[in-house]
Amino acid sequence: MSDTPARENTAPTFQDKVYRSGGGIVGGVLLLVLLFWLCIDAMVRGAGTAPGLAASVLVLGTPLIVAFTLWPQVRAGADRLLVRNPFRTVETRWDGVESLTAALSVELRAGGHKFVIWALPVSLRQRKRANRRAMIDAGDRGTVSNAPRSATARQPRPSLFGAPTAGSSSQPTEAYADKAVDELNERVAAYREALPEDAGAPEVKVAWSWWIIGPIVAGALALIILLAVG
């Protein structure tokens, strides 16, 4: 029996987390409902080439809407990052992430390539509101540090039901996309720090979503043929 002590596991213990655009999901559902309503109505009541055109638009529009609204997702796993974009899926180990930044859009660099992350849209309005909130909080902290607490502390305001409402500090001081990027970069740094020397080079897998691309191409071709013939 070997007396060699077992090697301590220093790998980070992050929980799996999924990032998606709530606005995109709501908008996608509404667009799908509208598309199905209009196309099915035209297929049932239309005459001539209208039913065929409606069917082609339905085949074309359904995967197109799903691709840009419901499908995009960022999945942060224990040791891997998975990014689902409208037509491509990118997967890599955390140490394969070269950079992850949020400017006008959230961009991932991995394997020498740049990918825009559709699941984390950058809202300049949300970022501006969050920056304003952070400046207000920083000003409040500066005021508190230079004056007696009793003179500057804000008492919670009672609500209509008698319970005090949450203070302004409960509001987000960082935009959703910026916060998500910070959390993902924390995972990258923690994983690299605990990565063993014999882990090997990370692999970046990029796969096309043919199950989305196929129906879009078929619907577009059918629509072109019907318009040309009719």
Side-chain angles (χ1 to χ4, degrees):
M1 184 174 179
S2 176
D3 296 332
T4 303
R7 181 176 180 179
E8 183 181 358
N9 183 13
T10 59
T13 56
F14 288 110
Q15 297 295 324
D16 289 359
K17 188 170 183 179
V18 175
Y19 300 88
R20 304 184 71 178
S21 171
I25 294 174
V26 173
V29 172
L30 294 177
L31 287 175
L32 286 174
V33 170
L34 180 62
L35 177 68
F36 273 80
W37 175 42
L38 294 177
C39 290
I40 293 177
D41 181 71
M43 292 167 62
V44 173
R45 301 184 182 185
T49 59
L53 290 173
S56 301
V57 171
L58 186 62
V59 173
L60 170 65
T62 300
L64 198 60
I65 293 174
V66 171
F68 284 94
T69 58
L70 305 181
W71 177 249
Q73 179 185 111
V74 175
R75 183 177 295 274
D79 61 346
R80 306 190 72 80
L81 173 67
L82 177 77
V83 177
R84 290 195 329 204
N85 278 342
F87 303 121
R88 289 190 299 180
T89 298
V90 182
E91 184 180 6
T92 183
R93 215 167 58 192
W94 284 110
D95 57 317
V97 177
E98 298 170 5
S99 67
L100 193 60
T101 58
L104 296 179
S105 61
V106 178
E107 296 181 352
L108 165 69
R109 288 189 177 272
H113 300 281
K114 181 178 72 173
F115 307 93
V116 176
I117 300 181
W118 284 79
L120 295 174
V122 173
S123 172
L124 297 181
R125 181 179 180 182
Q126 188 181 70
R127 180 180 288 172
K128 183 178 180 180
R129 184 167 58 247
N131 289 340
R132 186 186 304 117
R133 181 71 264 160
M135 291 176 63
I136 292 175
D137 288 349
D140 289 346
R141 287 194 296 269
T143 304
V144 171
S145 61
N146 295 325
R149 181 177 179 84
S150 60
T152 59
R154 297 182 178 179
Q155 297 297 328
R157 295 172 296 177
S159 66
L160 295 176
F161 301 98
T165 58
S168 59
S169 60
S170 64
Q171 300 182 17
T173 56
E174 194 172 14
Y176 175 73
D178 297 332
K179 182 179 180 181
V181 169
D182 288 344
E183 293 176 353
L184 294 174
N185 279 321
E186 287 180 4
R187 295 197 179 211
V188 173
Y191 191 84
R192 285 177 177 171
E193 184 177 352
L195 190 68
E197 296 181 357
D198 58 348
E203 181 183 3
V204 180
K205 300 179 182 178
V206 181
W208 290 93
S209 303
W210 294 110
W211 69 272
I212 292 179
I213 299 174
I216 292 176
V217 174
L221 290 176
L223 185 61
I224 292 172
I225 293 173
L226 287 174
L227 290 174
V229 173

